[in-house]
């Protein structure tokens, strides 16, 4: 019996302790955020404004049956303010767990940004569009003049009015335009009809004229195409080894070469039965073009790459080309082109050697700088090594390392080497950093620093929830 009595006593005490934990710790903590609905860690509200806002929120709670909480932070860090606010509202448990009747406003002071969101139980009466309209027309105008208290109170009351059905969007009344405006409207209609008729007539006329123009343009394009095909046949016949090319190369002087071109034009016209096009091809210009192509091929065959050198060689033999046959000057041009190519090859070799030497010197310097970078890393204190690892930008790393970098190591060489060294030495990510991230609340890294110890006391308690969406703005 004594054993049974003792076991029963222990059981009763355990149940009592559980009830104390449940109703003595959790419930007061949930109630704490409702009783103290102003979490001003960024100190937006000065003097007595905090108490005034607290009284106004309690009054709104009683009037509209909602639970309002306003929180200020310096910044949301790298996290989107919408996600930050909804996560924070759910974490704090704003509102009743039964009805989800919470309304949460977050103000990021340094970001000059804010977000207003409501619990799931309020969303049926207060839409995201209603919230955004409240932010744009009521809250942000006050925030722009730094009247934060007025903006918050007016915004909270507007949400309450929307929820309770007191506030409705104004509906514009129909305007009586009167008989004068009615007559004016008829005149405008008549003018519009007249303009439309004139426009249709213009379109029809332009269509008729356009058809004739298209016909003329088509005939012109056909004639141009016919002439272009003829010119191409003349050119292909002239430069073809089986055509007039041999006679062209053997012709002495530019006059005889032009005569070869004219004979070619006549022969092509006879084959195509297009004698009317014989004057459409400029024989002199075609002869010069073919001569230039012949000389260019000599340069290509010799492997010459510099067009400046080729132009100089052409100028040298210009007079002989005009008075002699191309076949006579071919040998001399090829000889000069090959000599010029030898000079080009020698210059290319010298340039390649200089580039290789510069590359080797650069590699040597980089190797030396890497060696110096390793020495520099070993000279850093453990604290500075941690600071380098946690720095976000190269500029921050450079400021930490600068006192140690007495050798003036190039930053482009220094940072990759240091990254490899501290990854190998400390590991990445370190267990300390991972632990720090896991111990913070469920929003992005850096955001927890925006809260004072008073606001983080409520991060683990349950209450209302269902926060999603909302509206916000910047000022």
């Amino acid at each position: 019996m004594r054993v049974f009595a003792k076991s029963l006593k222990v059981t009763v005490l355990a149940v009592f302790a559980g009830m104390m934990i449940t109703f003595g710790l959790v419930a007061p903590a949930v109630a704490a955020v409702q009783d103290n609905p102003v979490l001003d860690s960024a100190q937006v509200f000065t003097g007595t404004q905090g108490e005034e806002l607290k009284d106004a929120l309690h009054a709104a709670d009683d009037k509209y049956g909602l639970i309002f909480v306003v929180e200020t932070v310096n910044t949301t860090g790298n996290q989107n303010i919408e996600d930050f606010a909804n996560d924070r509202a759910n974490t704090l448990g704003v509102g009743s767990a039964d009805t989800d009747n919470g309304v949460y406003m977050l103000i990021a002071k340094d970001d000059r940004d804010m977000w207003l969101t409501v619990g799931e139980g309020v969303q049926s009466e207060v839409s995201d569009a209603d919230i955004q309209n409240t932010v744009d027309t009521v809250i942000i105008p006050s925030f722009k003049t730094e009247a934060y208290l007025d903006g918050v109170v007016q915004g909270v009351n507007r949400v309450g009015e929307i929820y309770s059905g007191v506030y409705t969007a104004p509906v514009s009344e129909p305007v009586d335009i009167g008989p004068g405006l009615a007559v004016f409207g008829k005149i405008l209609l008549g003018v519009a009809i007249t303009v439309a008729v004139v426009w249709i007539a213009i379109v029809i006329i332009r269509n008729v004229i356009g058809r004739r123009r298209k016909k003329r343009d088509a005939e012109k394009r056909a004639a141009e195409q016919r002439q272009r095909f003829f010119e191409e046949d003349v050119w292909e016949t002239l430069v073809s080894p089986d055509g007039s090319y041999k006679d062209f190369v053997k012709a002495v002087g530019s006059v005889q070469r032009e005569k070869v071109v004219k004979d070619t034009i006549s022969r092509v016209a006879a084959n195509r039965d297009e004698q009317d096009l014989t004057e459409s091809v400029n024989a002199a210009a075609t002869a010069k073009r073919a001569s230039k192509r012949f000389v260019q091929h000599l340069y290509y065959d010799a492997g010459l790459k510099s067009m400046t050198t080729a132009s100089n060689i052409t100028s040298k033999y210009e007079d002989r080309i005009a008075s002699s046959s191309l076949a006579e000057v071919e040998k001399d041009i090829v000889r000069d082109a090959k000599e010029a190519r030898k000079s080009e090859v020698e210059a290319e070799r010298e340039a390649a050697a200089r580039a290789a030497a510069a590359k080797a010197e650069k590699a040597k310097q980089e190797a030396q700088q890497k060696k110096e970078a390793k020495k520099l890393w070993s000279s850093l204190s453990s604290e500075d090594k941690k600071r380098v690892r946690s720095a976000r930008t190269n500029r921050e790393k450079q400021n930490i390392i600068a006192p140690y970098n007495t050798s003036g190591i190039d930053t482009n060489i220094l940072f990759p080497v240091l990254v490899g060294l501290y990854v190998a030495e400390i590991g990445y990510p370190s267990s300390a950093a991972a632990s720090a991230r896991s111990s913070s609340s469920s929003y992005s890294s850096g955001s927890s620093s925006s809260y004072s110890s008073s606001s983080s006391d409520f991060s683990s308690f349950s209450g209302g929830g269902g926060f999603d969406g909302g509206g916000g703005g910047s000022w």
Side-chain angles (χ1 to χ4, degrees):
M1 289 294 291
R2 290 182 180 179
V3 174
F4 174 76
K6 186 175 182 180
S7 299
L8 180 62
K9 183 178 181 181
V10 171
T11 303
V12 172
L13 289 174
V15 172
F16 180 75
M19 294 176 64
M20 286 296 291
I21 292 173
T22 303
F23 299 102
L25 295 177
V26 177
V30 174
V33 74
Q34 323 296 7
D35 295 337
N36 183 25
V38 181
L39 308 176
D40 188 19
S41 63
Q43 297 183 351
V44 171
F45 306 105
T46 59
T48 60
Q49 288 184 344
E51 290 299 323
E52 293 178 23
L53 178 57
K54 179 179 176 181
D55 294 340
L57 295 181
H58 283 315
D61 292 348
D62 297 337
K63 183 176 182 181
Y64 304 113
L66 301 175
I67 297 177
F68 297 90
V69 173
V70 177
E71 184 169 15
T72 69
V73 297
N74 291 317
T75 178
T76 62
N78 296 326
Q79 190 173 9
N80 177 282
I81 191 169
E82 177 182 355
D83 296 338
F84 191 103
N86 286 315
D87 290 347
R88 186 64 179 160
N90 286 312
T91 302
L92 289 173
V94 178
S96 169
D98 297 330
T99 60
D100 286 336
N101 62 339
V103 179
Y104 175 77
M105 182 186 299
L106 175 69
I107 302 172
K109 180 181 178 182
D110 295 342
D111 298 339
R112 297 185 69 81
D113 206 357
M114 61 80 58
W115 194 263
L116 178 62
T117 183
V118 298
E120 200 171 67
V122 185
Q123 293 171 9
S124 60
E125 301 297 334
V126 182
S127 65
D128 287 351
D130 293 329
I131 296 174
Q132 191 61 57
N133 179 265
T134 300
V135 170
D136 294 338
T137 61
V138 178
I139 300 175
I140 294 300
S142 296
F143 281 16
K144 287 182 177 179
T145 60
E146 298 187 358
Y148 298 109
L149 178 61
D150 293 341
V152 172
V153 173
Q154 292 173 15
V156 163
N157 282 289
R158 173 63 62 83
V159 172
E161 291 172 356
I162 295 172
Y163 177 74
S164 59
V166 174
Y167 175 82
T168 55
V171 180
S172 58
E173 296 293 334
V175 180
D176 184 9
I177 61 175
L181 290 178
V183 173
F184 182 70
K186 292 180 180 179
I187 295 174
L188 285 180
L189 179 61
V191 172
I193 293 174
T194 303
V195 171
V197 171
V198 173
W199 176 253
I200 292 173
I202 292 174
V203 170
I204 294 174
I205 295 172
R206 290 183 63 183
N207 189 31
V208 173
I209 296 175
R211 288 182 179 178
R212 295 178 181 176
R213 182 178 299 167
K214 287 181 179 179
K215 184 178 180 180
R216 289 197 303 269
D217 292 344
E219 292 174 350
K220 182 179 179 181
R221 285 195 298 271
E224 291 175 349
Q225 187 178 40
R226 178 169 168 257
Q227 180 180 336
R228 185 168 62 253
F229 287 162
F230 179 76
E231 291 174 352
E232 290 176 356
D233 282 354
V234 170
W235 177 256
E236 291 176 0
T237 303
L238 180 64
V239 299
S240 174
D242 298 331
S244 307
Y245 187 67
K246 294 180 180 178
D247 296 335
F248 183 81
V249 173
K250 293 179 180 179
V252 178
S254 56
V255 175
Q256 289 191 12
R257 286 194 290 273
E258 185 176 340
K259 183 177 181 300
V260 173
V261 173
K262 289 181 178 180
D263 292 342
T264 304
I265 294 172
S266 299
R267 189 162 63 253
V268 172
N271 292 337
R272 294 172 58 98
D273 193 20
E274 293 179 325
Q275 283 79 6
D276 58 311
L277 294 178
T278 54
E279 299 298 327
S280 65
V281 181
N282 189 319
T286 303
K288 288 183 179 180
R289 179 185 171 195
S291 300
K292 183 178 180 180
R293 182 179 179 183
F294 172 80
V295 175
Q296 285 178 342
H297 275 295
L298 298 182
Y299 298 148
Y300 297 147
D301 292 342
L304 190 65
K305 294 184 178 180
S306 173
M307 288 298 101
T308 302
T309 305
S311 178
N312 294 336
I313 296 175
T314 302
S315 301
K316 177 180 177 181
Y317 289 95
E318 187 175 353
D319 293 339
R320 286 185 60 189
I321 291 173
S323 59
S324 305
S325 68
L326 297 175
E328 291 177 3
V329 298
E330 176 180 359
K331 182 177 180 181
D332 294 335
I333 292 177
V334 170
R335 182 196 65 228
D336 289 352
K338 287 183 177 180
E339 290 295 327
R341 178 54 190 157
K342 289 181 181 179
S343 300
E344 284 184 346
V345 170
E346 185 63 28
E348 290 170 359
R349 288 176 181 172
E350 293 177 357
R354 289 194 298 270
K359 184 177 180 180
E361 180 63 24
K362 182 178 180 182
K364 182 179 178 182
Q365 292 177 358
E366 289 180 352
Q368 181 62 28
Q369 286 189 327
K370 288 180 180 179
K371 183 178 179 181
E372 293 292 334
K374 291 180 180 179
K375 290 173 60 178
L376 185 150
W377 176 255
S378 63
S379 67
L380 262 66
S381 65
S382 299
E383 184 63 28
D384 284 340
K385 286 180 180 179
K386 292 180 180 178
R387 290 174 60 203
V388 170
R389 182 182 178 280
S390 60
R392 295 183 178 181
T393 65
N394 282 349
R395 181 172 293 277
E396 293 178 14
K397 295 183 178 74
Q398 190 173 10
N399 291 336
I400 298 169
I401 297 170
Y404 298 91
N405 190 13
T406 56
S407 301
I409 305 173
D410 183 6
T411 303
N412 294 327
I413 299 294
L414 177 61
F415 288 150
V417 173
L418 293 185
V419 168
L421 287 172
Y422 67 62
V423 167
E425 182 174 322
I426 301 177
Y428 186 82
S430 69
S431 58
S435 175
R437 284 194 292 275
S438 64
S439 64
S440 62
S441 49
S442 58
Y443 31 87
S444 68
S445 60
S447 59
S448 60
S449 62
S450 302
Y451 299 94
S452 67
S453 59
S454 61
S455 64
S456 62
D457 290 340
F458 311 108
S459 61
S460 61
F461 298 117
S462 62
F467 287 88
D468 187 20
S474 304
W475 66 91

Short mmCIF file of all heavy atoms in Angstrom, two decimals, residues 264-298:
data_model
loop_
_atom_site.label_atom_id
_atom_site.label_comp_id
_atom_site.label_asym_id
_atom_site.label_seq_id
_atom_site.Cartn_x
_atom_site.Cartn_y
_atom_site.Cartn_z
N THR A 264 34.72 38.68 -125.02
CA THR A 264 34.02 37.76 -124.12
C THR A 264 32.57 38.19 -123.93
O THR A 264 31.65 37.35 -123.92
CB THR A 264 34.72 37.70 -122.75
OG1 THR A 264 36.09 37.33 -122.95
CG2 THR A 264 34.07 36.70 -121.83
N ILE A 265 32.34 39.51 -123.78
CA ILE A 265 30.98 40.03 -123.61
C ILE A 265 30.13 39.69 -124.82
O ILE A 265 28.98 39.23 -124.70
CB ILE A 265 31.01 41.55 -123.37
CG1 ILE A 265 31.69 41.86 -122.03
CG2 ILE A 265 29.61 42.14 -123.40
CD1 ILE A 265 31.94 43.34 -121.80
N SER A 266 30.68 39.88 -126.01
CA SER A 266 29.93 39.61 -127.25
C SER A 266 29.61 38.12 -127.36
O SER A 266 28.50 37.75 -127.78
CB SER A 266 30.74 40.07 -128.47
OG SER A 266 30.99 41.46 -128.40
N ARG A 267 30.56 37.26 -126.99
CA ARG A 267 30.34 35.83 -127.10
C ARG A 267 29.24 35.36 -126.13
O ARG A 267 28.38 34.55 -126.50
CB ARG A 267 31.65 35.09 -126.82
CG ARG A 267 31.59 33.60 -127.11
CD ARG A 267 32.97 32.98 -127.26
NE ARG A 267 33.76 33.06 -126.03
CZ ARG A 267 34.79 33.90 -125.88
NH1 ARG A 267 35.15 34.72 -126.87
NH2 ARG A 267 35.47 33.91 -124.75
N VAL A 268 29.26 35.87 -124.91
CA VAL A 268 28.23 35.51 -123.94
C VAL A 268 26.86 36.02 -124.39
O VAL A 268 25.85 35.31 -124.27
CB VAL A 268 28.59 36.05 -122.54
CG1 VAL A 268 27.44 35.85 -121.56
CG2 VAL A 268 29.85 35.40 -122.01
N ALA A 269 26.79 37.24 -124.92
CA ALA A 269 25.53 37.81 -125.38
C ALA A 269 24.94 36.98 -126.52
O ALA A 269 23.72 36.76 -126.59
CB ALA A 269 25.73 39.26 -125.84
N ALA A 270 25.83 36.48 -127.42
CA ALA A 270 25.34 35.65 -128.53
C ALA A 270 24.80 34.32 -128.01
O ALA A 270 23.75 33.84 -128.46
CB ALA A 270 26.46 35.41 -129.52
N ASN A 271 25.47 33.73 -127.02
CA ASN A 271 25.01 32.45 -126.48
C ASN A 271 23.67 32.60 -125.74
O ASN A 271 22.85 31.69 -125.76
CB ASN A 271 26.06 31.88 -125.52
CG ASN A 271 27.32 31.46 -126.24
OD1 ASN A 271 27.30 31.18 -127.47
ND2 ASN A 271 28.44 31.41 -125.53
N ARG A 272 23.48 33.73 -125.07
CA ARG A 272 22.25 33.96 -124.30
C ARG A 272 21.17 34.69 -125.10
O ARG A 272 20.07 34.90 -124.60
CB ARG A 272 22.56 34.77 -123.04
CG ARG A 272 23.44 34.04 -122.02
CD ARG A 272 23.86 34.99 -120.91
NE ARG A 272 22.71 35.57 -120.24
CZ ARG A 272 22.21 35.12 -119.08
NH1 ARG A 272 22.78 34.09 -118.48
NH2 ARG A 272 21.15 35.70 -118.53
N ASP A 273 21.53 35.09 -126.31
CA ASP A 273 20.62 35.87 -127.14
C ASP A 273 20.18 37.14 -126.41
O ASP A 273 19.00 37.46 -126.32
CB ASP A 273 19.40 35.03 -127.52
CG ASP A 273 18.58 35.67 -128.64
OD1 ASP A 273 19.15 36.54 -129.35
OD2 ASP A 273 17.39 35.35 -128.79
N GLU A 274 21.17 37.85 -125.88
CA GLU A 274 20.90 39.08 -125.14
C GLU A 274 21.86 40.18 -125.59
O GLU A 274 22.59 40.77 -124.82
CB GLU A 274 21.04 38.83 -123.62
CG GLU A 274 19.97 37.89 -123.07
CD GLU A 274 20.15 37.63 -121.58
OE1 GLU A 274 21.32 37.58 -121.13
OE2 GLU A 274 19.15 37.48 -120.87
N GLN A 275 21.84 40.45 -126.93
CA GLN A 275 22.75 41.47 -127.47
C GLN A 275 22.48 42.85 -126.90
O GLN A 275 23.37 43.71 -126.89
CB GLN A 275 22.63 41.50 -129.01
CG GLN A 275 23.33 40.37 -129.73
CD GLN A 275 22.53 39.08 -129.69
OE1 GLN A 275 21.41 39.06 -129.22
NE2 GLN A 275 23.13 37.98 -130.18
N ASP A 276 21.28 43.07 -126.38
CA ASP A 276 20.95 44.39 -125.84
C ASP A 276 21.70 44.69 -124.54
O ASP A 276 21.71 45.83 -124.06
CB ASP A 276 19.44 44.50 -125.61
CG ASP A 276 18.92 43.43 -124.65
OD1 ASP A 276 19.25 42.25 -124.86
OD2 ASP A 276 18.19 43.78 -123.71
N LEU A 277 22.33 43.67 -123.96
CA LEU A 277 23.02 43.87 -122.69
C LEU A 277 24.54 44.04 -122.86
O LEU A 277 25.26 44.14 -121.88
CB LEU A 277 22.76 42.68 -121.76
CG LEU A 277 21.32 42.51 -121.29
CD1 LEU A 277 21.19 41.26 -120.42
CD2 LEU A 277 20.85 43.73 -120.50
N THR A 278 25.02 44.07 -124.11
CA THR A 278 26.48 44.15 -124.30
C THR A 278 27.07 45.45 -123.74
O THR A 278 28.22 45.48 -123.29
CB THR A 278 26.82 44.06 -125.80
OG1 THR A 278 26.08 45.06 -126.52
CG2 THR A 278 26.46 42.68 -126.34
N GLU A 279 26.28 46.52 -123.74
CA GLU A 279 26.77 47.80 -123.22
C GLU A 279 26.60 47.93 -121.70
O GLU A 279 27.06 48.91 -121.12
CB GLU A 279 26.04 48.96 -123.91
CG GLU A 279 26.24 49.01 -125.41
CD GLU A 279 27.71 49.21 -125.77
OE1 GLU A 279 28.42 49.90 -125.01
OE2 GLU A 279 28.14 48.68 -126.81
N SER A 280 25.95 46.93 -121.09
CA SER A 280 25.70 47.03 -119.66
C SER A 280 26.93 46.66 -118.83
O SER A 280 26.97 46.95 -117.63
CB SER A 280 24.54 46.11 -119.27
OG SER A 280 24.88 44.74 -119.48
N VAL A 281 27.92 46.02 -119.45
CA VAL A 281 29.13 45.63 -118.73
C VAL A 281 30.26 46.57 -119.13
O VAL A 281 30.56 46.73 -120.32
CB VAL A 281 29.52 44.17 -119.06
CG1 VAL A 281 30.77 43.78 -118.28
CG2 VAL A 281 28.38 43.22 -118.73
N ASN A 282 30.89 47.20 -118.13
CA ASN A 282 32.00 48.11 -118.37
C ASN A 282 33.26 47.28 -118.62
O ASN A 282 33.81 46.66 -117.70
CB ASN A 282 32.19 49.02 -117.15
CG ASN A 282 33.19 50.13 -117.42
OD1 ASN A 282 34.22 49.92 -118.03
ND2 ASN A 282 32.86 51.32 -116.93
N ALA A 283 33.72 47.25 -119.86
CA ALA A 283 34.85 46.40 -120.24
C ALA A 283 36.13 46.82 -119.53
O ALA A 283 36.91 45.97 -119.06
CB ALA A 283 35.04 46.43 -121.75
N ALA A 284 36.38 48.14 -119.43
CA ALA A 284 37.62 48.62 -118.81
C ALA A 284 37.67 48.27 -117.32
O ALA A 284 38.69 47.78 -116.82
CB ALA A 284 37.73 50.14 -119.00
N ALA A 285 36.55 48.49 -116.60
CA ALA A 285 36.50 48.17 -115.17
C ALA A 285 36.64 46.66 -114.94
O ALA A 285 37.33 46.22 -114.01
CB ALA A 285 35.19 48.68 -114.57
N THR A 286 36.02 45.86 -115.80
CA THR A 286 36.11 44.41 -115.67
C THR A 286 37.54 43.93 -115.90
O THR A 286 38.03 43.02 -115.22
CB THR A 286 35.15 43.73 -116.65
OG1 THR A 286 33.81 44.20 -116.42
CG2 THR A 286 35.16 42.22 -116.49
N ALA A 287 38.24 44.55 -116.88
CA ALA A 287 39.62 44.18 -117.15
C ALA A 287 40.52 44.50 -115.96
O ALA A 287 41.39 43.70 -115.58
CB ALA A 287 40.12 44.91 -118.41
N LYS A 288 40.34 45.65 -115.35
CA LYS A 288 41.14 46.01 -114.16
C LYS A 288 40.85 45.05 -113.00
O LYS A 288 41.76 44.64 -112.29
CB LYS A 288 40.81 47.44 -113.73
CG LYS A 288 41.36 48.50 -114.68
CD LYS A 288 41.06 49.89 -114.16
CE LYS A 288 41.64 50.95 -115.10
NZ LYS A 288 41.35 52.33 -114.60
N ARG A 289 39.58 44.70 -112.85
CA ARG A 289 39.21 43.79 -111.76
C ARG A 289 39.86 42.42 -111.96
O ARG A 289 40.39 41.82 -111.02
CB ARG A 289 37.69 43.66 -111.73
CG ARG A 289 37.15 42.71 -110.68
CD ARG A 289 35.66 42.57 -110.83
NE ARG A 289 35.13 41.51 -109.98
CZ ARG A 289 33.92 40.98 -110.12
NH1 ARG A 289 33.12 41.41 -111.10
NH2 ARG A 289 33.52 40.02 -109.31
N ALA A 290 39.85 41.92 -113.19
CA ALA A 290 40.46 40.62 -113.46
C ALA A 290 41.97 40.66 -113.28
O ALA A 290 42.57 39.70 -112.78
CB ALA A 290 40.10 40.17 -114.88
N SER A 291 42.60 41.78 -113.67
CA SER A 291 44.05 41.92 -113.48
C SER A 291 44.41 41.91 -112.00
O SER A 291 45.37 41.27 -111.57
CB SER A 291 44.54 43.22 -114.13
OG SER A 291 44.26 43.21 -115.51
N LYS A 292 43.63 42.62 -111.21
CA LYS A 292 43.87 42.67 -109.76
C LYS A 292 43.72 41.29 -109.14
O LYS A 292 44.50 40.88 -108.29
CB LYS A 292 42.90 43.65 -109.12
CG LYS A 292 43.12 43.83 -107.63
CD LYS A 292 42.15 44.87 -107.07
CE LYS A 292 42.39 45.05 -105.57
NZ LYS A 292 41.46 46.05 -104.99
N ARG A 293 42.70 40.53 -109.60
CA ARG A 293 42.50 39.19 -109.06
C ARG A 293 43.68 38.28 -109.41
O ARG A 293 44.10 37.47 -108.58
CB ARG A 293 41.20 38.61 -109.64
CG ARG A 293 40.89 37.22 -109.10
CD ARG A 293 39.61 36.69 -109.66
NE ARG A 293 39.33 35.35 -109.15
CZ ARG A 293 38.30 34.61 -109.51
NH1 ARG A 293 37.44 35.09 -110.40
NH2 ARG A 293 38.12 33.41 -109.01
N PHE A 294 44.21 38.43 -110.60
CA PHE A 294 45.37 37.63 -111.01
C PHE A 294 46.56 37.89 -110.09
O PHE A 294 47.21 36.96 -109.60
CB PHE A 294 45.73 37.98 -112.47
CG PHE A 294 47.01 37.35 -112.93
CD1 PHE A 294 47.05 36.03 -113.35
CD2 PHE A 294 48.20 38.08 -112.94
CE1 PHE A 294 48.24 35.45 -113.77
CE2 PHE A 294 49.38 37.51 -113.36
CZ PHE A 294 49.40 36.20 -113.78
N VAL A 295 46.84 39.17 -109.82
CA VAL A 295 47.96 39.53 -108.96
C VAL A 295 47.72 39.04 -107.53
O VAL A 295 48.63 38.54 -106.86
CB VAL A 295 48.18 41.06 -108.99
CG1 VAL A 295 49.26 41.47 -108.00
CG2 VAL A 295 48.55 41.52 -110.39
N GLN A 296 46.49 39.16 -107.03
CA GLN A 296 46.18 38.68 -105.67
C GLN A 296 46.43 37.19 -105.53
O GLN A 296 46.94 36.73 -104.50
CB GLN A 296 44.72 39.00 -105.33
CG GLN A 296 44.48 40.47 -105.03
CD GLN A 296 43.02 40.75 -104.75
OE1 GLN A 296 42.14 39.96 -105.11
NE2 GLN A 296 42.76 41.89 -104.13
N HIS A 297 46.09 36.43 -106.55
CA HIS A 297 46.34 34.99 -106.50
C HIS A 297 47.83 34.69 -106.40
O HIS A 297 48.24 33.71 -105.75
CB HIS A 297 45.74 34.30 -107.72
CG HIS A 297 44.28 33.96 -107.55
ND1 HIS A 297 43.83 33.06 -106.63
CD2 HIS A 297 43.16 34.43 -108.18
CE1 HIS A 297 42.52 32.95 -106.69
NE2 HIS A 297 42.08 33.78 -107.63
N LEU A 298 48.64 35.54 -107.02
CA LEU A 298 50.09 35.34 -106.90
C LEU A 298 50.53 35.54 -105.44
O LEU A 298 51.39 34.81 -104.95
CB LEU A 298 50.82 36.33 -107.81
CG LEU A 298 50.54 36.19 -109.32
CD1 LEU A 298 51.38 37.20 -110.10
CD2 LEU A 298 50.82 34.78 -109.81
#
